Amino acid sequence: MTTLNELPVVVVGAGPVGLAAAAHLHERGIAFIVLEAGDTPGAAVRQWGHVRVFSPWRYNIDPAARRLLDEAGWVGPDLEGLPTGAELAGDYLQPFAQLPQLKPHLRYGARVEAISRLGLDRLRTAGRESTPFLIRLADGEELLARAVIDASGTWGTPNVLGGSGLPARGESTVAAFLEHALPDVLDAARDRFAGRHTLVVGAGHSAANTLLALAELAEAAPGTEVTWAIRTSSPSRTYGGGDADALPARGALGARLRAHVDAGRIRLLTGFSVHALTPADGRVSVVVRHADGSELTVTVDRIVAATGFRPDHSIAAELRLDLDPVMGATRALAPLIDPNEHSCGTVPPHGVNELAHPETGYYAVGMKSYGRAPTFLMATGYEQVRSVVAALAGDWAAARDVQLDLPETGVCNSNPADTATGEGCCGPAPTAEPAARGLATGISGGLLSTPLNLVTLDAAPASAQAGGCCS
């Protein structure tokens, strides 16, 4: 009979974090299989391939993956260049997935339907930790695994438009008018937006990118109107830290958006909660409910729902998960990433200890690990899988030596006070905290997370600010 440790580790998802897990598994000599629902590596990334991220290449490449690529003679990109999603997938993930160390272990069109323990449901305890995982695919095939690293992400489960966490009234009836986050406004989807009135709902970087594209389209296509709706009373969080941001392209994103709003090219609605949606003569009528109970009706042609994402844990329903009731992350990780407390505040370096569930051997990593928190960073995912794989290899010293170096955003909190300029939120620099606390993470706001570099630290670097987010 095959023993548990003779089985492979199954990685769910061939995005940046899933493939990084495969790189670390290879380096550790652990057998693995990567199951990808799409037809290519980075299938979800390719869906926003037209968007240029605001972090340079040097922050976007996992160290273990880079080592394998370099051994194969890979000619990498300019590390200071800003890649598009298409370039990230085509110039990095695709050649990495083609390496002989990975290619035989990747399966495409393999959608995971459920994960359980062989012969055991969630109630059965005896022998559980020595029983293989059972992975059932959508086509009925079943695989056995010694452990599961779930890097399936959240792209397929966007948040609803309704402000109470529930679908707005009539939301399902106006699906033809709704757009997923980050539509290709200037190219593939241009005809759906040119000369029409679009409402963008959301306050993250996904919303900001779409708004900037629509503003550019409005200059070329007469009759194009843009309305932006946010639930908070101020757009300062979206505008970000400007010149104080350690990633200039991220700071410039908010500055450009603010200029369009100030010039009236983008109409801004604050304190906006979508209450009801109704088809109206080829358009859609949106009823907005404000905190004081008053309502406003806006009629538009298209609605872009840039309201974030949530994890789908249903495939692991027969596993013993310890999920925080608010975040949908592990109970240990949730308070470290809670956006009510952390935006550009500190998110401590975390790894296998914070990601572990009562179900030994199952780990949700990457975007999925953060539940509904919008502040996930790609490099955080890289460090997560490094730690998890080290633990699977029995190297607990390396698994628990989790460290990150994250640059400043220039934004002080998730709900900055309303001011005329949105500037000046930062007070005196906080005192340095121990290196184990990491550095400021910033607000990632959806898929356009800020991938950051990983460094090995004995102490916080002299040039870096430990703790807090203000310079």
Side-chain angles (χ1 to χ4, degrees):
M1 180 178 178
T2 302
T3 63
L4 187 63
N5 285 342
E6 291 175 334
L7 293 171
V9 173
V10 165
V11 179
V12 183
V17 176
L19 290 179
H24 287 280
L25 287 163
H26 170 77
E27 285 196 337
R28 290 280 184 173
I30 300 174
F32 65 91
I33 298 172
V34 180
L35 303 175
E36 167 58 45
D39 298 327
T40 63
V45 174
R46 295 173 196 269
Q47 293 189 45
W48 48 270
H50 57 285
V51 176
R52 189 170 300 280
V53 302
F54 42 69
S55 53
W57 268 109
R58 60 191 174 92
Y59 296 137
N60 301 329
I61 302 171
D62 173 73
R66 180 64 190 258
R67 288 191 288 270
L68 290 172
L69 284 164
D70 286 346
E71 288 174 6
W74 181 55
V75 179
D78 175 4
L79 293 182
E80 297 306 315
L82 301 175
T84 63
E87 290 166 345
L88 183 65
D91 297 346
Y92 166 48
L93 299 180
Q94 187 72 42
F96 180 52
Q98 291 295 321
L99 293 178
Q101 297 95 325
L102 268 74
K103 186 176 181 179
H105 309 288
L106 269 64
R107 294 184 53 181
Y108 301 107
R111 182 175 297 277
V112 174
E113 186 175 79
I115 306 170
S116 186
R117 292 278 191 177
L118 181 63
L120 306 180
D121 62 15
R122 194 166 66 186
L123 295 177
R124 180 77 175 272
T125 298
R128 192 170 192 89
E129 291 188 8
S130 61
T131 300
F133 285 93
L134 173 69
I135 296 92
R136 178 174 294 169
L137 305 184
D139 64 3
E141 183 183 356
E142 295 182 342
L143 306 173
L144 299 181
R146 60 170 284 198
V148 176
I149 299 176
D150 185 352
S152 56
T154 59
W155 178 256
T157 49
N159 286 330
V160 296
L161 277 171
S164 300
L166 303 175
R169 186 175 299 167
E171 188 166 333
S172 62
T173 67
V174 298
F177 301 94
L178 300 183
E179 299 277 349
H180 199 292
L182 296 169
D184 191 356
V185 169
L186 296 173
D187 192 2
R190 183 185 182 94
D191 290 345
R192 299 201 298 271
F193 296 95
R196 299 187 180 186
H197 185 183
T198 298
L199 170 67
V200 178
V201 181
H205 289 129
S206 297
N209 272 285
T210 298
L211 289 162
L212 291 174
L214 285 167
E216 182 177 340
L217 179 63
E219 294 179 1
T224 303
E225 297 180 59
V226 188
T227 298
W228 175 29
I230 59 176
R231 296 172 185 171
T232 59
S233 59
S234 169
S236 298
R237 175 173 176 260
T238 309
Y239 291 159
D243 292 341
D245 197 314
L247 296 176
R250 181 172 58 187
L253 188 75
R256 290 169 56 205
L257 177 59
R258 180 175 175 175
H260 283 299
V261 172
D262 290 347
R265 292 183 289 270
I266 295 175
R267 177 192 180 193
L268 172 63
L269 302 177
T270 60
F272 179 108
S273 177
V274 177
H275 176 62
L277 302 111
T278 309
D281 298 325
R283 308 181 79 198
V284 59
S285 177
V286 184
V287 176
V288 180
R289 179 168 289 176
H290 297 284
D292 61 4
S294 62
E295 294 184 350
L296 170 70
T297 299
V298 181
T299 301
V300 298
D301 298 292
R302 308 296 298 170
I303 301 174
V304 176
T307 50
F309 301 84
R310 60 182 66 187
D312 180 4
H313 292 295
S314 62
I315 63 172
E318 285 304 315
L319 299 182
R320 296 178 174 182
L321 305 186
D322 185 20
L323 297 172
D324 178 80
V326 178
M327 293 293 103
T330 62
R331 200 174 299 270
L333 180 58
L336 311 182
I337 61 174
D338 185 347
N340 294 294
E341 303 294 335
H342 298 285
S343 55
C344 75
T346 58
V347 172
H350 60 272
V352 66
N353 286 349
E354 293 78 15
L355 297 170
H357 287 280
E359 194 70 67
T360 303
Y362 172 82
Y363 303 95
V365 298
M367 184 77 75
K368 190 169 187 175
S369 73
Y370 268 43
R372 294 198 192 189
T375 49
F376 171 71
L377 307 171
M378 193 181 297
T380 302
Y382 293 159
E383 183 67 346
Q384 285 178 346
V385 296
R386 186 208 60 78
S387 173
V388 165
V389 171
L392 292 175
D395 186 353
W396 285 96
R400 289 169 175 150
D401 183 22
V402 187
Q403 300 169 356
L404 286 171
D405 178 18
L406 310 176
E408 302 289 345
T409 65
V411 181
C412 292
N413 53 61
S414 59
N415 295 293
D418 295 346
T419 65
T421 67
E423 300 172 346
C425 75
C426 297
T431 59
E433 297 184 13
R437 287 292 296 171
L439 300 179
T441 65
I443 302 168
S444 67
L447 273 187
L448 294 186
S449 309
T450 313
L452 304 168
N453 62 314
L454 307 180
V455 297
T456 301
L457 299 174
D458 294 321
S463 61
Q465 171 203 341
C469 68
C470 302
S471 58

